[in-house]
Amino acid sequence: ESEGAICLRGNHDQALSEVVAGGRTPEFSVMNVLAQQGIVRDAQILEPVHLEWLASRPYSVDVEDMVFSHGAIPNPEWFRYPTGNRADTMFEPRTFLHVQEIGAEMHAREARVLCHGHTHRPLLYFVDPLHPERSRQIQPEDGSYSLPASAVTIVDVGSAGAIRTSGPESLVMLDSAAPREQLKFLRFVV
């Protein structure tokens, strides 16, 4: 953080905080067995100062015209999955959030770029809140992508070690010193 890094609280950090406080939460109960075992182990071995630090992390941070969060906005603490499929929002309204809703929230905040995680699936959404028919979704490969000036860009960064797609892991680079018109996805095999 002293170097300007943004450290966010995610669902595993939240579940860890709640397990330490003596509870088992709905977030914890839907995690796979390995995640649950890791959280219980971390609750036993981490020092109180480290647990407090994790619990103090924000769910999202706004930096100029960008928003960084683990879960989708407007409520990143709900850890919802963005989707372009309307049917998903009908079946699990607390789990999924349609990208048009996220785009409208970003437009209201006057923010152009949302970088989020949680899904472990690398995706790019270009959402035009004023013209939804112009919105599109891209499954990113290695390379740079131009960010359209007229759309909100939702960047699902994927995962550097626990990918949930058939493709390779991913990493997204966004250099704040460079023009924000380019976003670079790096796909690799661990």
Side-chain angles (χ1 to χ4, degrees):
E1 281 181 307
S2 63
E3 299 292 324
I6 297 171
C7 301
L8 300 169
R9 182 183 343 180
N11 56 316
H12 292 255
D13 309 312
Q14 181 63 31
L16 175 61
S17 295
E18 292 169 355
V19 165
V20 167
R24 294 285 194 269
T25 65
E27 186 63 43
F28 181 85
S29 66
V30 299
M31 291 180 172
N32 68 49
V33 172
L34 289 176
Q36 290 177 349
Q37 290 171 347
I39 288 168
V40 170
R41 181 205 62 226
D42 291 348
Q44 295 168 349
I45 64 172
L46 287 174
E47 299 291 329
V49 66
H50 299 123
L51 293 167
E52 290 170 15
W53 183 84
L54 284 171
S56 73
R57 300 299 84 206
Y59 292 107
S60 67
V61 172
D62 291 45
V63 179
E64 298 174 16
D65 65 348
M66 297 182 294
V67 178
F68 299 90
S69 70
H70 182 80
I73 63 166
N75 304 100
E77 68 277 11
W78 290 357
F79 306 112
R80 295 166 88 180
Y81 293 98
T83 182
N85 182 354
R86 270 284 175 215
D88 291 339
T89 60
M90 292 177 206
F91 294 116
E92 290 288 340
R94 183 153 161 77
T95 304
F96 292 99
L97 185 64
H98 195 274
V99 293
Q100 291 296 338
E101 295 173 69
I102 298 169
E105 173 69 18
M106 293 291 290
H107 186 71
R109 291 184 185 202
E110 297 182 2
R112 283 190 49 222
V113 179
L114 165 64
C115 291
H116 75 88
H118 187 57
T119 69
H120 298 254
R121 294 178 174 100
L123 285 171
L124 273 174
Y125 297 98
F126 299 117
V127 179
D128 189 331
L130 304 177
H131 304 282
E133 69 281 0
R134 294 182 191 165
S135 299
R136 59 194 169 105
Q137 173 184 322
I138 296 173
Q139 178 70 54
E141 297 298 328
D142 252 0
S144 295
Y145 295 85
S146 294
L147 306 185
S150 63
V152 169
T153 301
I154 301 171
V155 184
D156 190 330
V157 298
S159 176
I163 197 76
R164 291 185 184 158
T165 65
S166 60
E169 279 74 13
S170 65
L171 175 71
V172 177
M173 293 175 51
L174 180 63
D175 184 351
S176 61
R180 294 211 179 95
E181 302 307 312
Q182 293 288 317
L183 185 70
K184 183 166 183 137
F185 266 85
L186 303 172
R187 304 297 305 269
F188 56 92
V189 176
V190 176

